[in-house]
Amino acid sequence: MRKTIYLDHAATTPVLPAVREAVLRGFALWANPSSQHARGRAARAALEDARARVAGALGWEGEVIFTSGATEALAIGWGRARAERKLASAVEHPALLRLAGGALIPVDSAGRVVAGVLPEADLIAVQQVNNETGVIQPLAEIAALVRGRGGVLLADCAQGVGKLPLPDADLLAIAGHKLGAPPGVGALLVRDFALLEASGGQERGYRGGTENLPYILGLATALEAARDDAWLAGAADLRAHLEVELRALGAEVIAAQAERVPTIGAYRLPGVSASLVLISCDRLGIALSAGSACSSGSMKPSDTLLAMGLSEVQAREVFRVSIGRETTSEDIAALLAAIRAMVERAKGQGAR
Amino acid sequence: MIYLDYQATTPLAPEAREAMLAWLGGPETSGFANPHSPHRPGRAAAAAVELAREQVAALLPAGGRVIFTSGATEAINLAILGRPHREGRILASAIEHAAVLDTARASGTAFDLIPVNGEGLVDAEVPIPPGTDLVCLMQVNNEIGTIQPVAELARRAHDAGALLLCDAVQGAGKIAAPEGADMIALSAHKLYGPKGIGALWLREGVALSPLLHGGGQEGGLRSGTLSPALCAGFGAAAALCTNLRISDAAHVEKLWTIARALLPHWALNGSETQRWHGNLNLRLPGLDVARLMSDCRDIAFSAGSACASGSGRPSHVLRALGLSAADTKSSIRIGFGRYTGEGEFAEALRRIDAVASLQMD
């Protein structure tokens, strides 16, 4: 098989070699961490060590509950927070939007929550980084406001963790597979257990189920590896070049006026369906996405883009390029060549 | 160190480990993709997930579908909290795993327990209280290994208009799938697969509401990015159980015979015949289990379920058999399986027996 040019790191990332090694070492610690015998205690010690390493790597002083991923972490954080009235922003990941339902906190045309008009609630959920556009939310301002009112801030940090410092929030969801660990592991960071109803079971009574120690060791290793973030500057350069060239081809950069993580960009070629971009690239072995992986393949236009004021037709024209540690300028050049050829073909055929 | 705690978790089969490696790839491979991505590497990952689903389904009855979850605890939560008519009563055996009992209690609906006899068996003719919409009966008990009359109780549950949830964590891959259940919960790490993955099997036509919302994976029933590596490991472990079912059972039977011959004066907790013979739950009146465990540090066995270990509470399973609190605390669980060697096994049992006898002198 031809090598794939993988530009879909917001969907999931390649497993880092050090993480793979940690997972493989974890396979040797296969006893149940809740068992009282020596093997169980060895697994327990490794689990607690990993918990300390996760907290240490993130500079987090609160509690760490390991979960199967960010979706479960958000479900615990939202579902069991001791809070009556809960509100989420309109650009949250579907994992939260489906829980929140009803009224949502609106965003401006760049997809940002405007702290000044934040409604009152006991719990406010605002993500750190949007998975489709890369937009960074002004969480410092939001946190100050929520705290001032005695509320709790839940932050979905799945896309930001390892790229930005942790935001000042009370409940934070992270996922391993956006930063070099495999899918299937994440964590909920809890400032104080008093904020949550317990459920019984493992993880100090806040999450039932035998812990997946190999993946937890992988998560700790990935978070430690993320301290080496020099590659992010390179990613910013690659994306800047990509955006200059895409604009020259007539593309619009979504949320260009907002602060964005350097690894994610969303683009719209007016009159060209994102499906066409995806299929054309896929044929050439270039992996991109329309919106998020979760919604790709579904015909539903992105909630995030609609909340930013795009029409359904416009939203269906948006594709996402997400860059990783191993992305090279050749990868970006190949993508640009593919899109350029596609645009020229479309013009030649007189397509709209 | 000999490991005799196969009910807590099983060693990872080398074949399962091997199957996982291809999906723990770095950037030079495409073995890391999100199986929900429509691009080529994503489709390859999705194909691996579907192969694993078929391998797991082969352990289960025909006419249903497999939903991957993060483990049996999540599968049981999904079955109990997501079931169609949540207003009904729940009927559960008194020896169910805490994942069933705690979730049923937390569900907020009325909840009745089915007692077990002194052999640790449920009477399938037990009355089903009017208004019951869910009956929970495990296939094989995790502490005493007793095999429950799932098919018979399922028939009666259906006559009463209720669904039956079967926790098959300890039986799956070892004995034939429970017949008649509407929902079956499985865990990979009890059948030589990885931790962090399990499944809920749903009979065709059983509709559930999801607990985890989001990307809409698993037909909308369980959101969250699936791990192709965990799925592939689970699938390979399941396929191995299918292929080795007969030799695995024969091996366990041989070990059981050795154990029963070596430990004649220990009392067996739970039925001798209606039992998975990879579970030996034994009692010696007056035994100080903590001391025994500390004297046999290089033998990994258990004083009950791993989940309840360390709680200091007497086992609810042994209590349900009618044992006194003192007798429950003088019981040990020895679990064995595919990778337990006969020689090391016999030696470990002789040591446990000798050390325990010293206490009794």
Side-chain angles (χ1 to χ4, degrees), chain B residues 329-350:
Chain B
K329 291 193 169 175
S330 57
S331 296
I332 60 171
R333 183 182 70 179
I334 294 169
F336 41 93
R338 186 185 295 157
Y339 304 108
T340 310
E342 283 174 41
E344 57 168 3
F345 182 62
E347 193 204 314
L349 295 190
R350 279 194 200 97

Side-chain angles (χ1 to χ4, degrees), chain A residues 64-207:
Chain A
V64 177
I65 300 173
F66 291 116
T67 66
S68 62
T71 296
E72 188 188 0
L74 288 170
I76 295 173
W78 177 273
R80 296 217 302 272
R82 295 181 197 267
E84 290 286 316
R85 193 167 147 66
K86 304 173 187 176
L87 270 180
S89 93
V91 294
E92 296 301 298
H93 189 275
L96 249 175
L97 283 187
R98 300 275 184 87
L99 292 168
L104 297 168
I105 303 166
V107 293
D108 66 13
S109 65
R112 290 169 298 204
V113 169
V114 182
V117 297
L118 203 64
E120 287 266 1
D122 302 318
L123 180 144
I124 296 272
V126 179
Q127 67 199 174
Q128 184 182 25
V129 172
N130 185 268
N131 57 312
E132 296 182 42
T133 60
V135 168
I136 301 171
Q137 294 293 349
L139 278 179
E141 269 177 82
I142 294 170
L145 210 71
V146 171
R147 291 274 167 64
R149 295 168 175 173
V152 169
L153 180 61
L154 166 63
D156 169 4
C157 301
Q159 294 289 350
V161 68
K163 303 186 182 76
L164 300 174
L166 275 191
D168 175 23
D170 304 295
L171 300 164
L172 302 88
I174 65 172
H177 74 104
K178 313 291 188 188
L179 76 159
V185 66
L188 179 67
L189 311 181
V190 184
R191 184 169 302 288
D192 183 337
F193 274 150
L195 296 171
L196 281 188
E197 301 277 356
S199 62
Q202 287 88 341
E203 294 296 287
R204 297 164 198 198
Y206 289 88
R207 196 269 181 179

Side-chain angles (χ1 to χ4, degrees), chain A:
Chain A
M1 192 163 106
R2 230 175 338 165
K3 186 184 177 297
T4 297
I5 294 174
Y6 186 76
L7 294 170
D8 198 12
H9 292 79
T12 197
T13 50
V15 177
L16 292 169
V19 169
R20 183 181 156 100
E21 289 310 309
V23 171
L24 295 185
R25 278 197 306 276
F27 285 156
L29 287 166
W30 49 262
N32 191 323
S34 297
S35 289
Q36 295 298 294
H37 45 67
R39 283 211 178 160
R41 293 197 308 273
R44 163 67 54 188
L47 176 68
E48 296 311 323
D49 182 58
R51 201 187 306 280
R53 285 170 58 201
V54 165
L58 292 168
W60 176 248
E61 291 178 353
E63 310 286 348
V64 177
I65 300 173
F66 291 116
T67 66
S68 62
T71 296
E72 188 188 0
L74 288 170
I76 295 173
W78 177 273
R80 296 217 302 272
R82 295 181 197 267
E84 290 286 316
R85 193 167 147 66
K86 304 173 187 176
L87 270 180
S89 93
V91 294
E92 296 301 298
H93 189 275
L96 249 175
L97 283 187
R98 300 275 184 87
L99 292 168
L104 297 168
I105 303 166
V107 293
D108 66 13
S109 65
R112 290 169 298 204
V113 169
V114 182
V117 297
L118 203 64
E120 287 266 1
D122 302 318
L123 180 144
I124 296 272
V126 179
Q127 67 199 174
Q128 184 182 25
V129 172
N130 185 268
N131 57 312
E132 296 182 42
T133 60
V135 168
I136 301 171
Q137 294 293 349
L139 278 179
E141 269 177 82
I142 294 170
L145 210 71
V146 171
R147 291 274 167 64
R149 295 168 175 173
V152 169
L153 180 61
L154 166 63
D156 169 4
C157 301
Q159 294 289 350
V161 68
K163 303 186 182 76
L164 300 174
L166 275 191
D168 175 23
D170 304 295
L171 300 164
L172 302 88
I174 65 172
H177 74 104
K178 313 291 188 188
L179 76 159
V185 66
L188 179 67
L189 311 181
V190 184
R191 184 169 302 288
D192 183 337
F193 274 150
L195 296 171
L196 281 188
E197 301 277 356
S199 62
Q202 287 88 341
E203 294 296 287
R204 297 164 198 198
Y206 289 88
R207 196 269 181 179
T210 303
E211 298 88 345
N212 179 4
L213 180 58
Y215 274 37
I216 288 170
L217 294 172
L219 174 65
T221 305
L223 289 169
E224 286 168 353
R227 285 173 169 164
D228 171 16
D229 61 358
W231 67 279
L232 288 170
D237 291 344
L238 291 176
R239 191 182 65 179
H241 171 67
L242 172 70
E243 295 187 349
V244 167
E245 298 295 321
L246 283 177
R247 280 193 169 109
L249 289 169
E252 177 198 348
V253 177
I254 305 295
Q257 67 275 41
E259 199 190 341
R260 294 176 294 152
V261 284
T263 51
I264 300 177
Y267 310 101
R268 183 171 81 88
L269 278 164
V272 181
S273 147
S275 304
L276 180 62
V277 178
L278 257 57
I279 293 167
S280 306
C281 287
D282 190 44
R283 274 201 200 117
L284 299 168
I286 304 171
L288 303 179
S289 113
S292 66
C294 321
S295 57
S296 285
S298 80
M299 296 306 289
K300 216 169 131 270
S302 145
D303 289 320
T304 293
L305 298 173
L306 297 183
M308 292 166 65
L310 273 75
S311 71
E312 292 207 4
V313 171
Q314 289 171 330
R316 287 201 174 91
E317 292 169 347
V318 175
F319 60 95
R320 177 181 73 181
V321 178
S322 47
I323 295 169
R325 278 174 189 265
E326 80 287 358
T327 305
T328 62
S329 53
E330 288 77 19
D331 295 340
I332 298 298
L335 170 67
L336 282 166
I339 293 176
R340 202 171 287 126
M342 191 200 64
V343 168
E344 275 163 17
R345 225 169 24 244
K347 275 186 195 153
Q349 289 167 356
R352 62 175 187 96

